[in-house]
Amino acid sequence: MRAEAETRKPARPGKSAAERFGVIARPPLEWNAEVERETAHLYERVRHHIPEFEWPVYAPYVAAINRLKAERGAVILAHNYQTPEIFHCVADIVGDSLQLAKEAGKVDADIIVQCGVHFMAETSKLLNPEKTVLIPDMKAGCSLSESITGADVRLLRERYPGVPVVTYVNTSAEVKAETDICCTSSNAVQVVESFGVDTVLCIPDEYLAQNVAAQTDVKILTWKGHCEVHERFTAEELQAYKDADPEIEIIAHPECPTDVVEMADYAGSTAGMINYVRDQRPPKVLLVTECSMASNIQSEVPEVEFVKPCNLCPHMKRITLPKILDSLCEMKEEVTVDPAIAERARRAVERMVNLTN
Ligand code: 13P
Ligand code: SF4
């Protein structure tokens, strides 16, 4: 808890984002012919998940957010785990952690609204210190990020002198500042091997580290952090699906326990999983990850049948259309990082981005 709490102190003593950009009153939210026309093409992308009779509840928010986004000159970055109405109807850029970090570095807008969890917004801020980064709910955390502090990393360095430290991007800026380089689930093996040494600390996700260890000769030391969503999947559960339908393809995120990943036909980041389904079009697939992923790609691959053992990330689900609208109206919640921490943390993220470019 401490790590995130320390980097979530209120904004710097200067002017707040609301003072710099001004507050705009929440527009009226009505379902009318204009809103229907404005959002009709967007409804086509989510009709698999939102029944027609419910769209009049969503559409006024979608229309208001898109208008306000243009008025503010803001961009919305959304992670693959966001709900379909956010992913398909208001986001400008969607992706996995690595894609979002890379895109955040290229964004040409003064305001970034991060629809994801706090460490993602912090990463955007690290890569865009001059820009205003907002998160619609400051409490959108992550069990991995909260499992370790900067002080813990300093202790690990004392215990394993000279061993390079690779931190998963799912960590606070304070933790990133203590490490050599970041990684995501899509590049962890490449990052670990980039040092050319025989032992590397890969923290804080124990399962990601074990899954990386299975793919490299480098000895991996780790930490006992877990993703509260992915640690719940079990090999027995997957076997039951396989027994019911031996043809089903299993695709898992590397934050899952190793016996789960071993059963998978493919394991990779959320973007890797999406690409696998897009390219392979398996007739029936079990996505062993957060529930919204399957909903988000369903419209693109209507012929694929998704079986969803539904585990939701409660942190990702804190982000909703009403909160995004309030965020744009009131310019809240602003994500800031102590400049002394930010400089060192940025280096760790930039090393990863440069390595994977
Ligand atoms: P990805 O980098 O694969 O998008 O994963 C982020 C995450 O939080 C998964 O739980
Ligand atoms: Fe963190 Fe897991 Fe949620 Fe991803 S799914 S944000 S790793 S708690």
Side-chain angles (χ1 to χ4, degrees), residues 81 117 119 141-144 170 227-230 255 313 315-316:
Y81 291 163
V117 292
F119 76 80
C142 167
S143 63
L144 278 170
N170 296 38
C227 161
E228 67 186 86
V229 176
H230 292 96
E255 288 169 10
C313 172
H315 312 290
M316 289 278 179

Side-chain angles (χ1 to χ4, degrees), residues 229-245:
V229 176
H230 292 96
E231 72 174 348
R232 296 212 300 269
F233 294 108
T234 64
E236 293 72 38
E237 180 189 7
L238 266 49
Q239 191 57 53
Y241 283 106
K242 269 263 180 228
D243 291 345
D245 183 353

Side-chain angles (χ1 to χ4, degrees), residues 79 81 96-98 119-120 168 170 184-185 227 230 253 255 269-270 316:
H79 185 260
Y81 291 163
D96 68 4
S97 303
L98 182 62
F119 76 80
M120 295 177 176
Y168 197 25
N170 296 38
T184 70
S185 54
C227 161
H230 292 96
H253 195 279
E255 288 169 10
S269 75
T270 54
M316 289 278 179

Side-chain angles (χ1 to χ4, degrees), residues 275-297:
N275 288 338
Y276 182 93
V277 175
R278 246 184 218 140
D279 297 344
Q280 305 296 324
R281 312 244 162 179
K284 196 168 183 183
V285 67
L286 182 70
L287 281 194
V288 189
T289 191
E290 213 270 356
C291 232
S292 290
M293 272 264 299
S295 313
N296 287 336
I297 38 173

